[in-house]
Amino acid sequence: TANVTFPNGTISQLTLTNNTAHPNKFNSSFTPNLLGLHNITFFANDTSNNINSTEASNFTVTLGCGITLLTDTTLTRDLNTSTTCFTIGADNIILDGNGFTITGNTSGYAINNTEGYDNITIKNFAGLNNFSYGLYGINWSNSTIFNNSISADVVSGASYAIWLDDGSNQNTVSSNILSGNSTGAVILLDNAFYNSISYNNISGEGTSNEGIKLQSSNNNNISNNDIYVQGDSVELVTDSYNNIVINNNLTSTGSSSEGIRFSGAGSNNATNNAVNSGSDGIFFTSSSNNVATNNNVTGGTVGTLGSGLLLTNAFNNTLTNNIFQGAIEAGVTIDSSSANNTLTNNNISSNV
């Protein structure tokens, strides 16, 4: 037999076997899933079951893809993989890219936290490139994603640089360079609450790449981001409430893209944003009780449609001290399905 002592102190016993071709050679195999020093002690017994010999050996597992992280980890080299690289396996882990890059093959996750471990820090990656999902987590909270370069590179279908899913709350995403080239959002929050998305540089080359999309997500803060995409820069959809969108530079270059889109969203606040969009600058549809203040908005910069502000089936929204300019259509368009909206002290103009 052989005892393997793992880096975390646990011990596993291996049974050694031989075969008729090599009766005096015994072996066993196992796959280590922890980084660090592994010690092995071999026990040899005679036919009377007397312990008559022991030998010790060891080996060290260095960092590579395809492992589950159970402790703080720092990269020491670039990595390449054809599947998911790291899976988070414990709370309170710091994963430091240390200026190195992980490159995939357009599938899997660079970092996977679908088990929902909390207090995770992911920082200092020079690149998490060529994955379907850069970072994906379900029900993970109180975590920090800081100072990384992350790209979602699936050409067809949806992919996301960062996806905070289903109960991922109170996380901070800041000072990252994020990009995509598919039909998905660069950052997606789905049923996620009280997260802060700030000081990120976000770009999207896909024809419908959204910058930041909030879906059924409440009480999030989106601030001080630079977003340049072909789809909508910021989307708040499907029962997203009480979110703040403030001090962002938003450029949407697609002919049907909006700067800020409220769809089925309520009680959100958009303040001090600079918006330039191919279609409508700020678009409210089936949305109510939202506030937009001190925004500088130009719509209709590409194509043949687009107002600075468009309200369709929108109710009880308040718009104050904004600049709304329509490069192609009116500065402000209010559909007959909308009612009880308040516009005060706005500067409205059109190039029509």
Side-chain angles (χ1 to χ4, degrees):
T1 62
N3 287 348
V4 181
T5 303
F6 292 91
N8 62 1
T10 62
I11 298 175
S12 178
Q13 186 177 79
L14 303 179
T15 299
L16 307 180
T17 60
N18 64 349
N19 58 52
T20 56
H22 301 283
N24 296 320
K25 294 182 179 181
F26 292 78
N27 64 73
S28 183
S29 64
F30 71 101
T31 301
N33 60 2
L34 293 176
L35 301 178
L37 182 66
H38 294 64
N39 291 300
I40 305 178
T41 302
F42 298 92
F43 300 92
N45 306 312
D46 60 20
T47 55
S48 300
N49 202 33
N50 297 308
I51 298 175
N52 57 23
S53 181
T54 62
E55 292 287 342
S57 184
N58 63 70
F59 63 91
T60 299
V61 177
T62 59
L63 188 64
C65 287
I67 66 172
T68 297
L69 301 180
L70 300 176
T71 188
D72 292 349
T73 302
T74 300
L75 258 66
T76 57
R77 60 186 177 93
D78 294 333
L79 300 175
N80 294 275
T81 182
S82 60
T83 183
T84 294
C85 188
F86 296 134
T87 297
I88 303 298
D91 295 327
N92 306 310
I93 287 177
I94 298 174
L95 175 54
D96 190 344
N98 195 30
F100 291 98
T101 297
I102 304 174
T103 302
N105 71 340
T106 73
S107 65
Y109 316 107
I111 300 169
N112 174 19
N113 189 15
T114 51
E115 294 300 316
Y117 292 101
D118 300 328
N119 298 306
I120 306 300
T121 297
I122 299 168
K123 63 181 182 178
N124 300 333
F125 280 92
L128 298 174
N129 302 328
N130 214 28
F131 292 91
S132 293
Y133 309 95
L135 307 179
Y136 178 50
I138 298 174
N139 193 34
W140 62 326
S141 299
N142 299 306
S143 296
T144 300
I145 302 166
F146 172 75
N147 192 37
N148 303 286
S149 177
I150 306 172
S151 64
D153 294 317
V154 173
V155 176
S156 62
S159 65
Y160 310 95
I162 297 175
W163 184 354
L164 303 180
D165 196 10
D166 201 13
S168 295
N169 305 329
Q170 295 180 312
N171 300 292
T172 299
V173 180
S174 66
S175 302
N176 300 284
I177 299 173
L178 309 170
S179 63
N181 65 358
S182 72
T183 60
V186 179
I187 299 179
L188 174 62
L189 276 64
D190 190 353
N191 194 34
F193 307 95
Y194 295 100
N195 299 284
S196 174
I197 313 295
S198 64
Y199 294 100
N200 300 286
N201 187 312
I202 299 171
S203 62
E205 298 178 3
T207 55
S208 57
N209 246 156
E210 301 105 350
I212 301 174
K213 182 174 183 178
L214 275 62
Q215 181 171 290
S216 303
S217 296
N218 306 334
N219 300 103
N220 299 286
N221 187 297
I222 300 171
S223 62
N224 299 291
N225 299 285
D226 289 318
I227 302 178
Y228 189 99
V229 292
Q230 292 195 50
D232 300 338
S233 287
V234 176
E235 282 192 357
L236 296 90
V237 303
T238 318
D239 300 322
S240 290
Y241 298 102
N242 300 310
N243 300 286
I244 296 174
V245 182
I246 186 169
N247 295 334
N248 301 282
N249 292 314
L250 309 176
T251 301
S252 302
T253 62
S255 59
S256 60
S257 62
E258 279 90 31
I260 305 175
R261 178 184 179 92
F262 299 86
S263 179
S267 301
N268 300 286
N269 189 309
T271 301
N272 293 335
N273 299 287
V275 180
N276 285 274
S277 65
S279 185
D280 303 301
I282 297 180
F283 179 34
F284 293 93
T285 178
S286 302
S287 297
S288 60
N289 300 306
N290 298 285
V291 174
T293 305
N294 294 327
N295 300 285
N296 189 335
V297 183
T298 300
T301 60
V302 178
T304 59
L305 298 173
S307 301
L309 170 69
L310 174 61
L311 292 93
T312 301
N313 194 33
F315 303 92
N316 301 309
N317 298 288
T318 301
L319 303 107
T320 306
N321 295 329
N322 300 283
I323 298 172
F324 293 119
Q325 180 178 358
I328 296 175
E329 295 188 305
V332 173
T333 300
I334 302 176
D335 187 88
S336 60
S337 62
S338 298
N340 299 321
N341 298 288
T342 301
L343 283 77
T344 306
N345 295 328
N346 298 286
N347 185 330
I348 301 170
S349 63
S350 174
N351 291 336
V352 177

